């Protein structure tokens, strides 16, 4: 373990192990197997990279994410680790070179796609080489029930049979109990030590709001908190993706669309720019994200309600992999909810599927309408208990005031009932407030007991109440497109007074709302340091361009921030900065110290 600790410092430039990293590494170095469940950004890679460096031979990493292998290998090379990959994107000569290097024992880490690993040629190569360990990344792909099933993963148990003495580690960030058992069974990991870490992502701040003009609100949010940051904006349709991307561009941001309707080359180009440039925003349908491990995505915004909490958690999870503060921000309006419900009703899927999909959507809407800690509810859904409210979601930060809306809800529901469940929200409101209207008179609805029964609220207030009644499932909107509202079975106990209903207070105007304390980085920079940070960032971008790697492969933002605030001017001081190991010190130390020196001089003269 002494050696492992030394590698952590000198190669990776980190002072301490995180979470259970040290136990996991210990297990593997000693030759044991491990199963690791850790959330995105938890630090899974080090769990196999360090043992691969400590043990003799090459560490073989199985990953389905071919598109990422180049970046992973680049990042390791920058650290001075001898790494390579083998996949179908390479020409034959390159592959032969890599194989040669494996045979000669020159590599410390080798990334391969699962189908490649199972080929006889590859098996032979490994049989003739010394293998330090097998790491099976994204291990949930073994599960038929999961969302990324890969057939080849089920054959990976051959590793255990062919290489019985080589330790194996399976890692994933998304596995429920059932998937976990499948991983163990399929990969023959019955004796593996299990390391399960909390799925909480404490650095992500959750914010959800309902109301009009989500797009304008998105803009204000971005201006306030992420004027310079990279982020992802998710929309439901391709059309909306194109519109929102164009709209953001008009306003001066670099925003690129990404959806399945775009040519492959455009998608690849946009993704590459997102990874390689600073401050790029990707506007995407859910097609974007699988295998994006850009660590400094500072926000993920939703302009629609996702179909399930699983989707929401996975998509928002792409923010803040570097453990620095990040935002998961969502704005939706009622029309969205109505559309989603309609789409569900219209699919040809069987009833069983529809029921499950419906249930998942309701759980998602439940999160939206919550009046208590969102993180707690989210984790509870995934089977984890958070003992206290989190303090880092919109509700913890600005508890909404609620009011007893039981009576108002009863008035609205009975008005829907008495008018025959054939009219839309606007008509219902007109009847409630007692509007003199020809249509109402023609229908004789001005004679109903509910006519004018709600005159104590304004129409806009009724709209808000009805919106919440729909979102919470007391009312249903007709799927035929006329928008007639109907009672659902859950309306009955409310009408009978068997349950009471708390609703959110009518929202104050957005501008009047107390500006939320923004999710700022852990190290707050003084303004002069901020100038230096920008200068360092620029230098990093230049270096990244020269070497054709993403900027974060050179240094993470958190490292730049530490450089800007501590301003090291010699090697010894540089070594004290998190993220600077020996190799990076040698390669970039001088470059960045020169920027620091120049800025310090300029400040002195000013
Ligand atoms: P995962 O694969 O679990 O999503 P990564 O392995 O990519 O996460 O790690 C996330 C980030 O945390 C990376 O930037 C990594 O360098 C950093 N990291 C990992 N372990 C440590 C540590 N012990 N100290 C500081 N940073 C770490
Ligand atoms: Zn909370």
């Amino acid at each position: 373990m002494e050696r492992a600790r030394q590698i952590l410092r000198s190669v990776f430039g980190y002072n301490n192990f995180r979470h259970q990293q040290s136990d996991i590494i210990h297990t593997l170095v000693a030759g044991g197997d491990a199963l690791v469940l850790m959330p995105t950004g938890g630090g899974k890679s080090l769990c196999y990279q360090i043992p691969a460096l400590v043990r003799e031979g090459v560490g073989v990493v199985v990953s389905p994410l071919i598109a990422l292998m180049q970046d992973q290998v680049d990042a390791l090379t920058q650290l001075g680790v001898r790494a390579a990959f083998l996949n179908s994107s390479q020409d034959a000569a390159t592959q032969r070179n890599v194989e040669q290097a494996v045979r000669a024992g020159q590599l410390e880490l080798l990334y391969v796609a699962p189908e490649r690993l199972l080929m006889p040629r590859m098996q032979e190569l490994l049989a003739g080489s010394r293998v330090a360990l097998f790491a099976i990344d994204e291990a949930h792909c073994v599960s038929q029930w999961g969302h990324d099933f890969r057939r080849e993963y089920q054959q990976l148990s051959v590793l255990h049979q062919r290489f019985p003495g080589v330790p194996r580690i399976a890692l994933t960030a998304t596995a429920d109990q059932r998937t976990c058992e499948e991983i163990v069974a399929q990969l023959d990991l019955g004796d593996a030590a299990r390391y399960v870490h909390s799925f909480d992502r404490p650095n992500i701040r959750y914010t959800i709001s309902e109301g009009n003009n989500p797009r304008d609100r998105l803009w204000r949010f971005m201006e306030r908190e992420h004027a310079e940051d990279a982020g992802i904006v998710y929309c439901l349709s391709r059309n909306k993706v194109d519109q929102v991307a164009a709209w953001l561009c008009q306003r001066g941001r670099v925003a690129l669309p990404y959806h399945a309707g775009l040519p492959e080359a455009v998608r690849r180009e946009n993704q590459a720019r997102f990874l390689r440039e600073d401050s790029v925003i990707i506007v995407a349908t859910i097609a974007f994200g699988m295998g994006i491990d850009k660590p400094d995505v500072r926000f993920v915004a939703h302009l629609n309600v996702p179909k399930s909490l699983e989707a929401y958690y996975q998509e928002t999870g792409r923010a803040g992999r570097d453990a620095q503060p990040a935002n998961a921000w969502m704005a939706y309006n009622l029309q969205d909810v109505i559309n989603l419900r309609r789409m569900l009703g219209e699919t040809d899927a069987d009833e069983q599927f529809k029921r499950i999909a419906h249930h998942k959507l309701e759980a998602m809407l439940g999160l939206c309408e919550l009046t208590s800690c969102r993180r707690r509810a989210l984790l509870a859904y995934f089977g984890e208990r958070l003992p206290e409210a989190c303090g880092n979601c919109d509700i913890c930060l600005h508890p909404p005031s609620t009011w007893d809306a039981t009576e108002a809800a009863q008035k609205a529901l009975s008005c829907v009932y008495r008018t025959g469940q054939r009219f839309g929200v606007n008509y219902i409101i007109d009847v409630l407030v007692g509007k003199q209207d020809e249509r109402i008179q023609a229908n004789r609805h001005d004679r109903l007991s509910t006519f004018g029964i709600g005159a104590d609220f304004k129409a806009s207030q009724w709209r808000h109440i009805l919106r919440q009644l729909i979102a919470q499932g007391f009312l249903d909107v007709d799927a035929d497109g006329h928008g007639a509202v109907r009672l659902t079975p859950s309306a009955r106990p409310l009408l009978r007074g068997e349950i009471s209903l708390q609703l959110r207070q009518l929202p104050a105007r957005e501008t009047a709302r107390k500006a939320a304390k923004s999710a700022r980085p852990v190290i707050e920079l003084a303004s002069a340091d901020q100038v230096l940070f920008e200068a360092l960032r620029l230098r990093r971008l230049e270096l990244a361009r020269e070497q054709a790697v993403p900027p974060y492969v050179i240094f993470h933002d958190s490292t730049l921030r530490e450089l800007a605030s501590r301003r090291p001017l010699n090697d010894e001081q540089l070594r004290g900065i998190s993220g600077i190991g020996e190799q990076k010190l040698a390669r970039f130390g001088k470059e960045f110290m020169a920027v620091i020196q120049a800025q310090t001089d300029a400040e002195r003269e000013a």
Side-chain angles (χ1 to χ4, degrees):
M1 268 329 269
E2 213 17 71
R3 176 103 184 87
R5 216 162 262 288
Q6 192 204 330
I7 290 174
L8 179 74
R9 289 208 189 94
S10 66
V11 176
F12 294 92
Y14 299 138
N15 285 322
N16 298 300
F17 285 116
R18 266 195 202 153
H19 313 315
Q20 294 159 298
Q21 277 175 338
S22 119
D23 293 342
I24 298 166
I25 291 169
H26 182 78
T27 298
L28 284 168
V29 168
D33 298 335
L35 172 64
V36 173
L37 271 80
M38 217 187 252
T40 306
K44 286 187 284 301
S45 328
L46 286 193
C47 296
Y48 54 81
Q49 287 168 348
I50 290 183
L53 295 179
V54 174
R55 288 177 63 91
E56 215 180 301
V58 60
V60 177
V61 186
V62 187
S63 164
L65 309 172
I66 290 183
L68 284 186
M69 289 181 184
Q70 182 72 58
D71 282 354
Q72 284 165 332
V73 166
D74 283 347
L76 286 166
T77 309
Q78 295 279 349
L79 294 170
V81 175
R82 287 171 285 134
F85 62 87
L86 273 177
N87 68 36
S88 50
S89 73
Q90 296 160 308
D91 60 35
T94 311
Q95 295 186 20
R96 264 199 307 279
N97 283 340
V98 173
E99 288 170 5
Q100 187 49 42
V102 174
R103 226 170 267 122
Q106 290 164 346
L107 287 182
E108 291 162 313
L109 276 159
L110 175 69
Y111 287 78
V112 290
E115 54 275 15
R116 162 79 43 162
L117 186 68
L118 296 166
M119 288 177 187
R121 182 187 170 110
M122 187 73 204
Q123 293 282 316
E124 249 167 63
L125 175 68
L126 293 180
S129 315
R130 179 123 197 185
V131 180
L133 58 84
F134 288 108
I136 299 150
D137 207 2
E138 312 288 341
H140 60 276
C141 291
V142 90
S143 162
Q144 305 221 34
W145 309 107
H147 42 294
D148 309 317
F149 174 57
R150 307 271 302 217
R151 191 158 300 285
E152 307 81 32
Y153 261 70
Q154 298 201 323
Q155 294 159 33
L156 289 176
S157 58
V158 301
L159 295 178
H160 189 37
Q161 293 142 22
R162 296 255 176 90
F163 306 89
V166 178
R168 293 169 307 145
I169 172 172
L171 313 101
T172 175
T174 52
D176 55 13
Q177 190 59 33
R178 178 176 190 176
T179 311
C180 223
E181 296 313 324
E182 254 190 298
I183 294 173
V184 168
Q186 294 282 353
L187 297 181
D188 209 351
L189 282 171
D191 296 330
R194 294 192 190 193
Y195 300 93
V196 179
H197 190 266
S198 162
F199 275 71
D200 186 17
R201 305 282 311 278
N203 60 316
I204 297 183
R205 172 174 299 176
Y206 300 98
T207 304
I208 301 178
S209 64
E210 194 273 338
N212 296 325
N213 298 323
R215 202 174 66 171
D216 292 326
R217 287 188 284 140
L218 169 69
W219 180 257
R220 285 200 292 276
F221 158 72
M222 281 171 45
E223 283 292 280
R224 194 171 61 231
E225 305 211 15
H226 299 290
E228 307 260 341
D229 295 330
I232 306 174
V233 177
Y234 283 109
C235 306
L236 210 54
S237 71
R238 298 174 186 184
N239 217 342
K240 190 160 166 189
V241 164
D242 292 334
Q243 285 168 7
V244 171
W247 187 78
L248 289 172
C249 287
Q250 274 169 17
R251 300 196 142 211
R253 294 294 305 248
V254 180
L256 307 172
Y258 190 104
H259 57 68
L262 291 169
E264 169 68 23
V266 174
R267 268 187 288 162
R268 215 174 320 124
E269 162 75 11
N270 289 354
Q271 174 168 331
R273 287 188 62 191
F274 179 63
L275 295 178
R276 277 168 174 52
E277 295 174 22
D278 283 333
S279 322
V280 173
I281 297 164
I282 283 278
V283 186
T285 56
I286 51 170
F288 181 77
M290 171 67 182
I292 296 299
D293 73 351
K294 183 175 166 64
D296 53 358
V297 176
R298 290 271 66 83
F299 70 95
V300 168
H302 281 91
L303 286 178
N304 291 95
V305 180
K307 290 196 181 75
S308 66
L309 284 173
E310 285 88 347
Y312 175 74
Y313 206 61
Q314 188 174 46
E315 285 153 22
T316 54
R318 292 175 183 135
R321 295 183 73 132
D322 54 8
Q324 298 278 307
N327 274 303
W329 182 95
M330 172 168 142
Y332 68 104
N333 64 37
L334 190 65
Q335 194 55 42
D336 249 26
V337 176
I338 295 172
N339 290 348
L340 265 175
R341 287 208 173 123
R342 179 178 309 157
M343 275 160 61
L344 269 184
E346 283 168 359
T347 52
D348 301 327
D350 61 56
E351 286 308 311
Q352 160 88 357
F353 177 88
K354 277 191 195 174
R355 220 173 28 247
I356 293 173
H358 188 76
H359 178 75
K360 287 189 185 274
L361 177 60
E362 293 307 319
M364 181 67 225
L365 290 170
L367 183 79
C368 296
E369 283 297 320
L370 215 59
T371 49
S372 55
C373 177
R374 296 204 203 268
R375 188 183 314 273
R376 239 180 153 177
L378 259 175
L379 290 174
Y381 182 82
F382 294 111
E384 202 176 313
R385 220 182 79 78
L386 195 66
E388 290 175 349
C390 77
N392 193 27
C393 70
D394 54 346
I395 294 183
C396 285
L397 292 165
H398 309 283
S401 31
T402 56
W403 60 293
D404 186 341
T406 313
E407 195 186 320
Q410 285 168 341
K411 287 178 183 174
L413 295 176
S414 77
C415 187
V416 170
Y417 182 71
R418 290 189 194 282
T419 51
Q421 314 197 55
R422 291 181 288 123
F423 299 91
V425 168
N426 289 332
Y427 187 92
I428 301 296
I429 292 173
D430 287 347
V431 175
L432 278 167
V433 300
K435 189 175 174 190
Q436 295 303 327
D437 178 277
E438 281 176 22
R439 209 167 140 228
I440 292 175
Q441 283 154 7
N443 289 328
R444 300 184 161 233
H445 286 157
D446 54 342
R447 303 191 186 173
L448 291 177
S449 59
T450 50
F451 183 75
I453 196 180
D456 44 343
F457 289 116
K458 286 189 294 214
S460 63
Q461 293 174 314
W462 276 117
R463 192 173 306 283
H464 185 76
I465 293 166
L466 282 160
R467 205 143 59 189
Q468 294 193 60
L469 289 175
I470 293 171
Q472 298 201 21
F474 293 106
L475 288 172
D476 211 357
V477 179
D478 200 355
D480 67 4
H482 296 302
V485 287
R486 286 176 314 215
L487 304 190
T488 67
S490 36
R492 211 158 293 273
L494 184 54
L495 267 172
R496 288 207 204 105
E498 292 161 12
I499 57 169
S500 65
L501 180 68
Q502 295 285 318
L503 288 184
R504 281 164 171 263
Q505 205 64 263
L506 300 176
R509 291 185 68 81
E510 177 103 9
T511 45
R513 197 184 294 167
K514 203 169 57 183
K517 195 169 151 280
S518 60
R520 288 262 63 103
V522 175
I523 302 180
E524 284 256 23
L525 293 177
S527 64
D529 295 347
Q530 186 67 37
V531 174
L532 176 54
F533 173 72
E534 295 302 335
L536 293 167
R537 194 148 111 146
L538 199 63
R539 189 75 196 99
R540 177 181 67 174
L541 191 60
E542 290 163 2
L543 289 168
R545 288 233 171 90
E546 280 166 24
Q547 309 190 15
V549 294
Y552 58 80
V553 162
I554 297 194
F555 284 136
H556 282 186
D557 284 357
S558 53
T559 301
L560 293 191
R561 226 169 256 125
E562 217 179 315
L563 284 174
S565 66
R566 291 176 48 186
R567 306 194 171 203
L569 286 171
N570 61 44
D571 286 3
E572 214 28 61
Q573 292 168 345
L574 268 181
R575 281 198 184 88
I577 306 280
S578 180
I580 303 192
E582 289 306 319
Q583 185 74 13
K584 297 232 167 137
L585 180 83
R587 284 179 88 135
F588 305 121
K590 282 209 180 57
E591 303 269 5
F592 285 91
M593 282 193 290
V595 177
I596 295 171
Q597 186 68 62
Q599 165 81 12
T600 310
D601 291 347
E603 281 168 16
R604 215 168 278 139
E605 276 163 31

